[in-house]
Amino acid sequence: MKMLLLSTVSAFFRQRAGMFLVLLGVLFGFLSANEHHAFAVFFLTGTYGMLSLFVIWLGYSLLCVQFLVNTWRLPEYTFIYHARTWPAIVRTRRFAGQALGLLQPILYYGAYLLVIAIQDKLLARLWPVIPFYFVLILVLTLTAEWRVRKPVLYVPVKGKSIIKWPFPRPSSWLYWSMEWLVRERGITLLVGKMGAMLVAAGTMLYYSTGEYDIRMPAVGMSLAYLLNLGLSLELYQWEAEIWLWGRSLPVPVWRRWGRVVAAHLVLIVPETVVMLRSGALGFAEVAQLYLLGLTILIVSHLYFYKRAGLPENAIQVFLFGFVGLTLLILYKVPLLLLAACGLMFSLYASWSRSSRK
């Protein structure tokens, strides 16, 4: 079972990371909570609501079917055909578990529909969702069964691509870093951004329920930005373990520091869009929190260089750092002052580290 999850489910979400990031941006960046609720009520009560929901879910399931059929044809997946030696009951159970893994977004949205149905007293309208799940799981299970019974034991020859990009791939460190993060660390990227965007949405929702000053969203958004720490570590590992020749190039310190700043500026855009989309804060306040989040990640990124990666006690360091930052915010230290001091310290520390080398 673990083999199926790692080789197929994880590969699916890793390869489709860009698509899911776009969906997250649309769902959390452009649709408000009221619009999400309106869509859920339409699916539950509309004349063609359940039919529309089933068509959307079926389209996603067909995408999973297409991935399953094409991926298991690849030469590196010939080991998957040994699944034919499993007993029929075991094979069916494991393929059904794989189907549940592929259908995770649908399952999560079903849980959201359940919450809305309980809230609006529409539980009687929710029952078609259960047959939908069984049908989609059955489709994916039968697809996996058919694929292992029809093995492809040859190497397919790739033909010439019909569509070609009219421009070459840019020779940019930032572009290659982001591309590597999406293609090779897709699951980490999805989990990290989903958590950060949910915390940002929750912070803005709580902020809109009462009369608070900027300190309240500053603490909440500091936590949201800090959840990007895993992605910041991935960028460090990219530079330390994969982009090795880049360290030997005669690049000025300020330019290396600027690359790190630019990469983290791109990383924290989604949750910033969620904060801006809520409308609870003005543009100037959002800009202050954006710079504060950038400072948090840049200073944390320096810790990776100091310890040559992530040590075992790093959680304690970041926890105490977050507590200290929270106290500074609560004592009304200006956010721009905190951001400026943090960025200047990071530049100075980078310069000192380069000088010692």
Side-chain angles (χ1 to χ4, degrees), residues 32-311:
S32 64
N34 293 332
E35 292 166 336
H36 282 292
H37 182 269
F39 275 113
V41 171
F42 166 73
F43 290 140
L44 291 171
T45 61
T47 305
Y48 299 102
M50 280 297 168
L51 179 61
S52 302
L53 182 65
F54 182 69
V55 170
I56 295 172
W57 286 3
L58 182 61
Y60 173 80
S61 301
L62 293 178
L63 179 67
C64 297
V65 167
Q66 184 263 348
F67 172 83
L68 194 63
V69 171
N70 291 337
T71 301
W72 283 9
R73 293 179 59 187
L74 298 177
E76 57 267 27
Y77 276 84
T78 53
F79 68 91
I80 209 73
Y81 301 115
H82 294 293
R84 291 175 295 176
T85 61
W86 296 340
I89 297 178
V90 174
R91 191 166 61 246
T92 302
R93 185 177 70 248
R94 291 178 177 176
F95 285 163
Q98 174 185 262
L100 288 173
L102 292 172
L103 296 174
Q104 287 182 72
I106 292 177
L107 298 176
Y108 297 149
Y109 194 77
Y112 174 72
L113 284 179
L114 177 61
V115 173
I116 297 300
I118 294 175
Q119 174 183 322
D120 294 359
K121 299 179 181 180
L122 297 172
L123 278 176
R125 300 275 189 166
L126 190 64
W127 67 266
V129 171
I130 304 301
F132 290 175
Y133 282 151
F134 280 113
V135 171
L136 300 179
I137 292 171
L138 181 63
V139 169
L140 289 176
T141 302
L142 292 177
T143 300
E145 179 69 19
W146 173 82
R147 182 75 279 172
V148 298
R149 288 181 176 272
K150 303 289 183 179
V152 178
L153 302 179
Y154 60 88
V155 179
V157 178
K158 294 183 179 179
K160 294 183 178 180
S161 177
I162 299 177
I163 301 176
K164 294 183 179 180
W165 292 109
F167 49 84
R169 299 168 72 186
S171 56
S172 167
W173 180 90
L174 178 62
Y175 174 83
W176 286 98
S177 301
M178 292 297 107
E179 183 188 52
W180 176 84
L181 197 62
V182 172
R183 297 183 62 177
E184 301 298 331
R185 296 294 185 268
I187 295 179
T188 305
L189 183 63
L190 284 176
V191 173
K193 300 316 298 179
M194 182 180 295
M197 292 169 74
L198 287 175
V199 172
T203 299
M204 292 299 101
L205 182 63
Y206 187 78
Y207 177 73
S208 62
T209 60
E211 296 292 334
Y212 303 99
D213 57 19
I214 197 173
R215 291 179 294 174
M216 185 268 161
V219 174
M221 290 306 301
S222 296
L223 177 59
Y225 288 128
L226 193 61
L227 292 179
N228 291 280
L229 204 57
L231 300 177
S232 182
L233 175 60
E234 295 291 355
L235 287 176
Y236 168 80
Q237 292 177 343
W238 152 258
E239 187 179 7
E241 300 175 7
I242 299 175
W243 195 275
L244 294 175
W245 63 274
R247 288 194 167 190
S248 61
L249 295 177
V251 179
V253 177
W254 64 267
R255 188 171 182 179
R256 293 182 184 274
W257 179 80
R259 287 175 174 178
V260 175
V261 171
H264 288 84
L265 278 172
V266 174
L267 276 183
I268 61 177
V269 165
E271 49 268 44
T272 306
V273 172
V274 172
M275 177 173 52
L276 186 62
R277 177 65 178 82
S278 67
L281 295 173
F283 180 80
E285 295 171 317
V286 171
Q288 293 182 56
L289 297 178
Y290 184 53
L291 291 176
L292 180 63
L294 174 65
T295 302
I296 293 171
L297 287 181
I298 295 300
V299 174
S300 301
H301 194 76
L302 285 175
Y303 186 75
F304 299 143
Y305 287 103
K306 181 178 180 180
R307 299 299 182 182
L310 187 62

